[in-house]
């Protein structure tokens, strides 16, 4: 899979132990140009549906599972196509002297549609979410929005949590790539990482 970019904030020592947790993320675009995303309504940011790949789990299986858990949408496996991978490196927020390493594998895909107006919205078939505690606390919900709306929200997002800032910067860059507009770090990213950030294609 082609590399989209590398996001490395260099806030660690190279000799530290590495902790890897890779992920699969879905790019679900509707015919009218809008995109299906997860909105964290209690925090105010958008993210691509998806998450961690379990040990010995296939990337596509992880994609299907994570999209269903976070949004209730049902991915059509035959529609899945590679988009690209984003590499991420930063100091772990869980353990001292450890580097968090994550490859996020992005895939374009379609989801099942519904002919029953009462079954979903925007013509999408929606099943039940199955959120983790932190996802529930963040208020994860499915939203179908124009790319520009998600980009604006993520650029305006403010936080002091390094993990969230880098995560949102990553998805912001992918949103900007999809919209065909120049990518640049958000103000909150520059505030905390302007001296050490490397964001390269």
């Amino acid at each position: 899979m082609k590399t989209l970019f590398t996001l490395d904030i260099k806030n660690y020592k190279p000799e530290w132990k590495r902790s890897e947790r890779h992920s699969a993320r879905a790019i679900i675009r509707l015919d009218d140009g809008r995109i299906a995303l997860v909105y964290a309504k209690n925090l105010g940011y958008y993210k691509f549906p998806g998450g961690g790949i379990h040990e010995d789990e296939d990337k596509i299986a992880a994609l299907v599972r994570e999209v269903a858990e976070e949004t209730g949408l049902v991915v059509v496996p035959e529609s899945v196509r590679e988009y690209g991978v984003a590499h991420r490196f930063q100091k772990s927020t869980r353990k001292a002297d450890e580097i968090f390493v994550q490859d996020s594998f992005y895939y374009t895909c379609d989801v099942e549609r519904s002919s029953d107006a009462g079954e979903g919205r925007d013509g999408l078939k929606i099943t039940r979410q199955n959120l983790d505690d932190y996802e529930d606390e963040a208020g994860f919900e499915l939203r179908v929005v124009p790319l520009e709306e998600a980009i604006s929200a993520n650029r305006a997002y403010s936080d002091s949590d390094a993990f969230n800032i880098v995560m949102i910067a990553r998805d912001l860059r992918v949103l900007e790539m999809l919209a065909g507009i120049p990518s640049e770090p958000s103000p909150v990213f520059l505030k905390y990482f302007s001296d050490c950030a490397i964001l390269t294609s």
Side-chain angles (χ1 to χ4, degrees), residues 12-109:
Y12 55 84
K13 294 182 179 179
E15 64 269 20
W16 288 359
K17 179 181 177 182
R18 293 187 169 204
S19 173
E20 298 186 2
R21 178 167 167 75
H22 304 309
S23 64
R25 306 187 185 281
I27 300 171
I28 306 166
R29 301 187 74 168
L30 276 62
D31 295 338
D32 61 6
R34 292 180 301 156
I35 188 166
L37 297 167
V38 172
Y39 183 63
K41 63 183 180 182
N42 296 332
L43 298 174
Y45 68 81
Y46 285 92
K47 68 178 287 291
F48 287 92
I53 301 168
H54 294 165
E55 188 174 351
D56 298 326
E57 184 179 30
D58 176 83
K59 294 183 183 70
I60 306 305
L63 182 79
V64 172
R65 174 183 55 76
E66 284 285 346
V67 169
E69 289 175 356
E70 291 189 350
T71 68
L73 295 174
V74 181
V75 170
V76 178
E78 298 78 15
S79 72
V80 177
R81 298 290 183 273
E82 293 182 357
Y83 182 73
V85 57
H87 307 293
R88 172 182 177 184
F89 303 87
Q90 71 182 110
K91 180 180 178 181
S92 173
T93 57
R94 294 187 177 183
K95 292 184 180 179
D97 302 338
E98 187 172 87
I99 307 169
F100 176 73
V101 179
Q102 184 176 65
D103 286 345
S104 288
F105 299 94
Y106 288 85
Y107 297 89
T108 62
C109 61

Side-chain angles (χ1 to χ4, degrees), residues 44-192:
Y45 68 81
Y46 285 92
K47 68 178 287 291
F48 287 92
I53 301 168
H54 294 165
E55 188 174 351
D56 298 326
E57 184 179 30
D58 176 83
K59 294 183 183 70
I60 306 305
L63 182 79
V64 172
R65 174 183 55 76
E66 284 285 346
V67 169
E69 289 175 356
E70 291 189 350
T71 68
L73 295 174
V74 181
V75 170
V76 178
E78 298 78 15
S79 72
V80 177
R81 298 290 183 273
E82 293 182 357
Y83 182 73
V85 57
H87 307 293
R88 172 182 177 184
F89 303 87
Q90 71 182 110
K91 180 180 178 181
S92 173
T93 57
R94 294 187 177 183
K95 292 184 180 179
D97 302 338
E98 187 172 87
I99 307 169
F100 176 73
V101 179
Q102 184 176 65
D103 286 345
S104 288
F105 299 94
Y106 288 85
Y107 297 89
T108 62
C109 61
D110 197 5
V111 292
E112 290 186 12
R113 306 302 173 104
S114 172
S115 58
D116 181 356
E119 188 177 355
R121 68 175 98 92
D122 296 299
L124 304 175
K125 179 179 180 180
I126 302 174
T127 61
R128 184 177 178 273
Q129 284 178 297
N130 183 21
L131 300 178
D132 293 335
D133 289 343
Y134 85 91
E135 295 169 338
D136 192 45
E137 290 173 7
F140 277 16
E141 65 180 22
L142 170 66
R143 288 197 182 178
V144 180
V145 297
L147 282 166
E148 294 75 15
E149 181 175 328
I151 290 169
S152 178
N154 281 18
R155 286 192 62 77
Y157 176 78
S158 181
D159 200 338
S160 60
D161 182 283
F163 193 87
N164 281 349
I165 293 169
V166 178
M167 174 191 71
I168 293 159
R170 179 202 63 215
D171 278 5
L172 171 61
R173 176 143 191 173
V174 176
L175 287 165
E176 290 170 334
M177 294 174 73
L178 291 170
I181 62 176
S183 296
E184 57 184 80
S186 66
V188 69
F189 187 90
L190 290 173
K191 176 181 177 181
Y192 287 97

Side-chain angles (χ1 to χ4, degrees), residues 5-12 87-90 166 169-170 173 185 189-190 193-201:
F5 54 86
T6 297
L7 181 53
D8 187 343
I9 63 173
K10 301 287 187 180
N11 62 344
Y12 55 84
H87 307 293
R88 172 182 177 184
F89 303 87
Q90 71 182 110
V166 178
R170 179 202 63 215
R173 176 143 191 173
F189 187 90
L190 290 173
F193 305 123
S194 59
D195 294 333
C196 57
I198 298 177
L199 187 58
T200 58
S201 299

